[in-house]
């Protein structure tokens, strides 16, 4: 029974979130703290010397920055909102929890963490440049957009990294204790997924005069883009000897930031 629960934890988490949405969606305020704890556990296993830019990072970034424009151009003939959703699915940076999942799948956590940092900085710069072209009526300065994106991403991404390194060098006993904790990150991720799913279902249910044609189109487009990015990332990673890390880096996205960008 325990093995079944572990193997099906993520589907069960989504099902639980969908069923309990009237209550679980109110726990969304705790999601950043859950991600913070997940990353602290993961980053504690890394040394600062593990962080460096690799050729695969450049390819993945080019796909995100230029691919989002191509996707928007193709989908804009179908529906502007679906096109914007497709653009965000490609442009939005890698999920902060991707480092956790990469470690569980046996990938290179250092590679993924390095890409997390590079990707989030690049998107923070690119998004304010891209958005005015797809929403001409929105007058938001580059600096304002850049600072808001950094505010969304920075604390959750950078603070656990800096705290993990602080423990490594100044509180080694605390660091050893954190490193010795195994498996907790996965279950924290399951709880976060439950909350996010509940929030999504609540949004869909509470719409006034709902017409789900756009939502269905967005879901189909998001699925195609998601599978495509995972496959393309794995293909690039295979060339450089690390399919898992590149696949997660390009395919697993920061859902919370994507919702804000949308």
């Amino acid at each position: 029974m325990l093995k079944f629960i572990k193997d099906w934890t993520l589907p069960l988490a989504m099902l639980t979130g969908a069923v309990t949405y009237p209550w679980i969606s109110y726990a969304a305020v705790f999601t950043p703290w859950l991600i913070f704890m997940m990353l602290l556990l993961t980053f504690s296993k890394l040394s600062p010397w593990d962080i460096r830019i690799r050729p695969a990072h450049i390819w993945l970034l080019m796909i995100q920055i230029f691919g989002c424009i191509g996707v928007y151009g193709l989908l804009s003939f179908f529906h502007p909102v679906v096109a914007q959703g497709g653009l965000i699915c490609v442009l939005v940076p890698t999920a902060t929890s991707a480092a956790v999942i990469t470690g569980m799948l046996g990938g290179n956590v250092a590679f993924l963490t390095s890409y997390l940092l590079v990707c989030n900085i690049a998107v923070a710069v690119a998004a304010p440049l891209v958005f005015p072209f797809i929403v001409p009526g929105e007058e938001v300065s580059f600096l304002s957009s850049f600072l808001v994106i950094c505010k969304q991403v920075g604390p959750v991404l950078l603070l656990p990294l800096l705290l993990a390194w602080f423990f490594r060098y100044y509180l080694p006993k605390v660091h050893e204790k954190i490193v010795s904790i195994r498996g907790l990150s996965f279950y924290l991720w399951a709880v976060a997924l439950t909350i996010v799913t509940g929030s999504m279902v609540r949004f869909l249910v509470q719409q006034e005069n709902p017409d789900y044609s756009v939502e269905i189109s967005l879901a189909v487009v998001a699925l195609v883009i998601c599978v495509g990015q995972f496959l393309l990332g794995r293909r690039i990673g295979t060339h450089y000897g690390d399919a898992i890390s590149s696949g997660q880096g390009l395919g697993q996205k920061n859902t919370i930031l994507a919702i804000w960008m949308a």
Side-chain angles (χ1 to χ4, degrees):
M1 184 64 180
L2 289 176
K3 185 179 185 304
F4 173 82
I5 293 176
K6 185 175 182 179
D7 292 342
W8 290 87
T9 295
L10 298 185
L12 289 173
M14 289 187 285
L15 179 61
T16 302
V19 172
T20 64
Y21 79 89
W23 310 281
I24 197 67
S25 58
Y26 289 106
V29 294
F30 299 109
T31 303
W33 293 99
L34 290 170
I35 295 175
F36 184 97
M37 293 302 300
M38 290 162 53
L39 290 178
L40 178 61
L41 292 169
T42 300
F43 290 160
S44 294
K45 301 173 184 178
L46 295 175
S47 164
W49 309 112
D50 294 328
I51 308 298
R52 60 181 184 274
I53 306 301
R54 296 171 173 83
H57 291 155
I58 306 301
W59 286 106
L60 298 178
L61 271 179
M62 289 178 63
I63 292 172
Q64 282 192 241
I65 303 301
F66 297 106
C68 74
I69 299 173
V71 167
Y72 178 80
L74 289 174
L75 294 176
S76 60
F77 296 101
F78 172 67
H79 195 287
V81 173
V82 176
Q84 292 169 10
L87 178 145
I88 290 174
C89 284
V90 180
L91 178 63
V92 71
T94 305
T96 50
S97 58
V100 179
I101 305 302
T102 297
M104 293 176 181
L105 295 175
N108 188 333
V109 176
F111 173 95
L112 201 285
T113 303
S114 299
Y115 186 64
L116 267 173
L117 297 174
V118 173
C119 175
N120 278 279
I121 293 172
V123 172
V125 174
L129 297 176
V130 172
F131 286 171
F133 291 99
I134 65 173
V135 191
E138 296 291 335
E139 295 296 335
V140 181
S141 70
F142 172 85
L143 182 60
S144 297
S145 299
F146 178 81
L147 291 177
V148 171
I149 293 174
C150 288
K151 181 181 178 181
Q152 292 283 324
V153 176
V156 176
L157 179 64
L158 292 179
L159 288 183
L161 181 65
L162 296 175
L163 187 59
W165 288 346
F166 174 81
F167 288 152
R168 172 183 287 268
Y169 293 109
Y170 297 102
L171 296 173
K173 291 186 178 179
V174 175
H175 176 260
E176 290 176 8
K177 183 66 175 178
I178 294 174
V179 172
S180 68
I181 301 174
R182 299 182 181 276
L184 180 59
S185 294
F186 179 73
Y187 295 104
L188 290 174
W189 167 237
V191 174
L193 184 60
T194 302
I195 296 172
V196 170
T197 303
S199 300
M200 178 196 69
V201 173
R202 185 183 184 87
F203 169 79
L204 293 175
V205 170
Q206 292 186 344
Q207 287 189 95
E208 295 183 2
N209 303 318
D211 175 11
Y212 293 116
S213 60
V214 173
E215 283 83 350
I216 293 172
S217 299
L218 281 168
V220 172
V221 168
L223 176 61
V224 172
I225 290 175
C226 178
V227 173
Q229 288 185 121
F230 269 111
L231 293 176
L232 190 55
R234 290 183 67 87
R235 187 175 183 85
I236 292 173
T238 299
H239 179 75
Y240 290 99
D242 192 356
I244 293 175
S245 302
S246 293
Q248 294 301 126
L250 190 59
Q252 189 175 345
K253 298 295 188 173
N254 188 330
T255 308
I256 297 173
L257 183 60
I259 292 171
W260 174 82
M261 292 169 74

